[in-house]
């Protein structure tokens, strides 16, 4: 459930009309509902309350400082994957002991900054990376916690670009290598190799791949008598974009809690999309309707540079008119909703049934709170729009829209070209 609803043909975010926000904020803009965000965080928290896990929100899904601060204030930790995310996490005021750091390509300076900040642990993804963390820890004279990311080699049942738990994926390490690492912990005197981690993929709708992977990891630890303190089971819980019927936080917990409890390990979860996905929408304006002999296109003022998921994964995002047009007699027409970008792959939705919308009408692209703004770009030299958050009956611009000046920030034309 989320807080974007129609009341008398008008679309609201919590108690505020989206069209009223659009009177003050130019389109396109991302709009987040604080209540939806926190409700989803609490859903996971309460589903797993019997084992009191550390819930580290996955910053890559939505790294708006307001989103991070809102979650941190409500007790969340953060899952980060770069020096940039670490920087944002610090500004959001996160407790360092609630930060975990994953990713296959951590750079030395990023590792050192995270050690200095005092994060809970790194999720290490290769032996060479372990060597690098060891060197950084020795230099800084710190004992550093590390969990080893395991690739459990299962079929995560999701889009191939967001499946990570298969053997051929670049993520994590195979059981044999992990075993070897645990047998040679002495090689890393500055590290405390105290956990294992997995993240099998994203937008996973049922519990089976999770239970399979968790069982494999726990059996592995048991078989080789590997003693660890933490088990980080990653993120990946799917949400409703269209007709999916995903597991709820409760049913997910029901399936995996017995396994986790039996393990006696401290559990960490890294949900991203489940918390942020349905907490945000992209609000955009209709520019033109263009009829061709084969198709009708509704051209809007945002596209793949703002929300790349449809172009990249053929992901489905529901598209709704913000004010239902009164003069349309609601006859819906099959249209492609496309952006202004010069790419055929620039679309937000294909073959959608929408009523005619005059130029200037507002449209909302649903489920855009995760991997929306964070994956946006300036392609076609388009400044990115604002991010706005509704918090208790008020809306706040939490990130100003970019200007043309922002597009050239940091650029110089060498004198020889002048
Ligand atoms: N932990 C790790 C180590 C991850 O790599 C990810 C996501 C998460 C947690 C959070 O996963 P979530 O709960 O959000 O599924 N851009 C794609 C999704 C890529 C996910 C990358 N890793 C999309 O738009 O669907």
């Amino acid at each position: 459930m989320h807080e974007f609803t129609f009341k008398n043909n008008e679309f609201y975010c919590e108690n505020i009309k989206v069209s009223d926000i659009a009177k003050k904020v130019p389109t396109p803009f991302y709009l987040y509902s604080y209540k939806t965000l926190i409700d989803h965080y609490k859903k996971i928290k309460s589903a797993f309350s019997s084992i009191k896990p550390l819930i580290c929100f996955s910053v890559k899904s939505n790294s708006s400082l307001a989103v991070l601060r809102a979650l941190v204030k409500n007790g969340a930790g953060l899952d980060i994957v770069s020096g940039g995310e670490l920087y944002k996490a610090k500004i959001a005021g996160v407790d360092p002991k609630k930060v975990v750091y994953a990713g296959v390509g951590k750079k030395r300076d990023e590792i050192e900054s995270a050690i200095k900040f005092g994060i809970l642990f790194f999720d290490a993804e290769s032996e060479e990376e372990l060597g690098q963390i060891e060197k950084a820890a020795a230099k800084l004279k710190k004992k550093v916690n590390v969990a080893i990311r395991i690739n459990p080699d299962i079929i995560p049942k999701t889009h191939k670009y967001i499946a990570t738990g298969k053997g051929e994926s670049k993520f994590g390490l195979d059981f044999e290598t992990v075993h070897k690492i645990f047998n040679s912990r002495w090689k890393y005197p500055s590290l405390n190799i105290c956990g294992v981690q997995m993240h099998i993929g994203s937008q996973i709708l049922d519990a089976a791949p999770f239970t399979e992977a968790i069982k494999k990891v726990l059996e592995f630890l048991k078989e080789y008598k590997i003693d660890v303190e933490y088990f980080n089971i990653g993120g990946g819980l799917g949400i409703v974009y269209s007709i999916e019927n995903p597991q709820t936080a409760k049913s997910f917990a029901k399936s995996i809690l017995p396994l986790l409890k039996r393990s006696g390990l401290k559990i960490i979860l890294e949900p991203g999309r489940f918390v942020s996905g349905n907490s945000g929408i992209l609000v955009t304006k209709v520019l033109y309707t263009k009829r061709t002999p084969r198709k009708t296109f509704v051209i809007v003022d945002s596209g793949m540079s703002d929300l790349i998921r449809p172009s990249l994964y053929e992901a489905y995002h529901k598209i709704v008119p913000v004010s239902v047009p009164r003069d349309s007699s609601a006859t819906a027409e099959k249209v492609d909703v496309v952006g202004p970008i010069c790419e055929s792959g620039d679309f937000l939705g294909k073959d959608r049934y929408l009523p005619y919308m005059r130029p200037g009408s507002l449209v909302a692209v649903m489920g855009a709170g995760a991997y929306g703004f964070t994956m946006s770009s300036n392609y076609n030299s388009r400044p990115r729009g604002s991010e706005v958050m509704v918090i208790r009956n008020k809306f706040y611009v939490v990130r100003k829209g970019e200007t043309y000046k922002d597009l050239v920030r940091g650029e110089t034309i060498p004198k020889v070209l002048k």
Side-chain angles (χ1 to χ4, degrees):
M1 276 315 292
H2 54 73
E3 295 286 327
F4 298 97
T5 48
F6 278 101
K7 297 175 200 164
N8 301 323
N9 282 351
E10 267 292 328
F11 197 50
Y12 281 74
C13 174
E14 301 185 17
N15 290 319
I16 301 189
K17 273 190 196 169
V18 173
S19 57
D20 282 348
I21 300 175
K23 281 178 195 151
K24 304 249 167 65
V25 181
T27 56
F29 60 87
Y30 275 93
L31 178 60
Y32 306 126
S33 152
Y34 172 87
K35 184 168 186 310
T36 311
L37 184 78
I38 300 305
D39 279 355
H40 280 80
Y41 166 66
K42 288 190 174 158
K43 273 185 194 177
I44 293 237
K45 200 175 161 171
S46 75
F48 284 90
S49 61
S50 61
I51 55 167
K52 293 199 173 53
L54 172 60
I55 299 173
C56 294
F57 171 66
S58 193
V59 173
K60 66 181 83 60
S61 74
N62 190 318
S63 62
S64 152
L65 288 178
V67 166
L68 302 184
R69 180 66 197 154
L71 290 164
V72 162
K73 248 190 119 164
N74 279 276
L78 300 174
D79 149 48
I80 61 167
V81 288
S82 69
E85 288 191 353
L86 174 65
Y87 180 74
K88 288 188 141 193
K90 284 185 198 168
I91 299 176
V94 70
D95 174 352
K97 285 289 160 247
K98 290 185 176 176
V99 175
V100 290
Y101 189 160
V104 293
K106 304 175 191 79
K107 291 193 282 190
R108 178 65 181 259
D109 61 323
E110 294 176 313
I111 293 171
E112 287 191 10
S113 311
I115 295 177
K116 284 183 193 153
F117 186 52
I119 63 166
L120 181 61
F121 59 71
F122 289 95
D123 293 310
E125 306 226 12
S126 68
E127 287 178 271
E128 290 195 355
E129 183 196 329
L130 270 179
Q132 191 69 273
I133 304 174
E134 166 62 34
K135 275 193 212 145
K139 180 184 147 199
L140 297 170
K141 299 192 174 52
K142 288 263 165 64
K143 189 88 179 173
V144 171
N145 284 345
V146 175
I148 307 295
R149 178 161 177 178
I150 299 182
N151 181 331
D153 195 15
I154 48 102
I155 296 175
K157 287 201 253 170
T158 187
H159 189 287
K160 62 176 183 216
Y161 284 7
I162 53 177
T164 49
K166 282 161 84 174
E168 57 266 40
S169 145
K170 72 173 174 179
F171 297 101
L173 289 163
D174 57 285
F175 286 109
E176 212 182 306
T177 310
V178 178
H179 183 210
K180 202 174 98 196
I181 291 171
F182 275 103
N183 266 346
S184 52
R185 289 195 220 197
W186 53 269
K187 272 201 211 158
Y188 308 101
S190 311
L191 305 186
N192 175 27
I193 304 181
C194 57
V196 284
Q197 188 241 6
M198 61 173 221
H199 169 74
I200 57 173
S202 203
Q203 184 57 10
I204 299 172
L205 300 172
D206 66 86
F210 287 101
T211 42
E212 189 190 344
I214 290 171
K215 271 187 197 154
K216 267 183 126 174
V217 170
L218 292 176
E219 274 161 21
F220 161 76
L221 294 176
K222 202 169 155 197
E223 184 179 344
Y224 294 101
K225 298 193 175 52
I226 296 172
D227 181 29
V228 288
E229 187 180 352
Y230 298 100
F231 184 13
N232 178 350
I233 65 164
L237 236 73
I239 63 168
V240 180
Y241 285 105
S242 132
I243 49 160
E244 300 90 345
N245 187 15
Q247 57 194 332
T248 59
K250 262 196 192 149
S251 62
F252 176 55
K254 209 172 153 200
S255 317
I256 63 170
L257 265 175
L259 290 170
L260 299 178
K261 273 187 185 158
R262 229 176 296 139
S263 78
L265 298 171
K266 290 184 186 154
I267 302 300
I268 290 157
L269 301 166
E270 301 177 331
R273 187 189 320 262
F274 182 85
V275 175
S276 58
N278 280 320
S279 312
I281 62 173
L282 172 65
V283 181
T284 179
K285 199 175 262 175
V286 174
L287 298 175
Y288 308 106
T289 294
K290 170 171 171 173
R291 294 176 208 284
T292 74
R294 302 238 177 113
K295 273 192 169 232
T296 298
F297 297 97
V298 173
I299 301 164
V300 296
D301 69 355
S302 71
M304 65 190 291
S305 55
D306 302 294
L307 180 67
I308 201 173
R309 302 194 70 255
S311 310
L312 197 57
Y313 316 117
E314 293 185 354
Y316 180 96
H317 286 260
K318 200 167 166 188
I319 299 178
V320 298
V322 164
S323 306
V324 178
R326 290 178 215 290
D327 55 352
S328 68
S329 65
T331 37
E333 184 182 356
K334 188 156 104 172
V335 301
D336 282 5
V337 180
V338 300
I341 306 270
C342 299
E343 295 262 356
S344 297
D346 175 34
F347 63 91
L348 294 173
K350 284 193 171 169
D351 297 333
R352 303 301 175 84
Y353 286 89
L354 287 171
Y356 172 72
M357 285 170 292
R358 289 165 198 244
S361 308
L362 297 170
V363 164
V365 184
M366 306 298 292
Y371 309 105
F373 191 89
T374 50
M375 292 179 80
S376 64
S377 74
N378 290 121
Y379 187 38
N380 278 202
S381 291
R382 294 170 49 78
R384 281 175 293 192
S386 308
E387 289 176 284
V388 179
M389 186 184 276
V390 169
I391 311 173
R392 299 183 201 102
N393 298 323
K394 268 189 158 182
F395 74 86
Y396 302 84
V397 175
V398 295
R399 188 185 209 269
K400 273 200 296 194
E402 291 170 341
T403 62
Y404 290 144
K405 265 200 175 156
D406 292 321
L407 292 181
V408 295
R409 192 182 47 206
E411 285 197 57
T412 46
I413 299 176
K415 265 201 183 123
V416 286
L417 294 179
K418 283 190 179 156

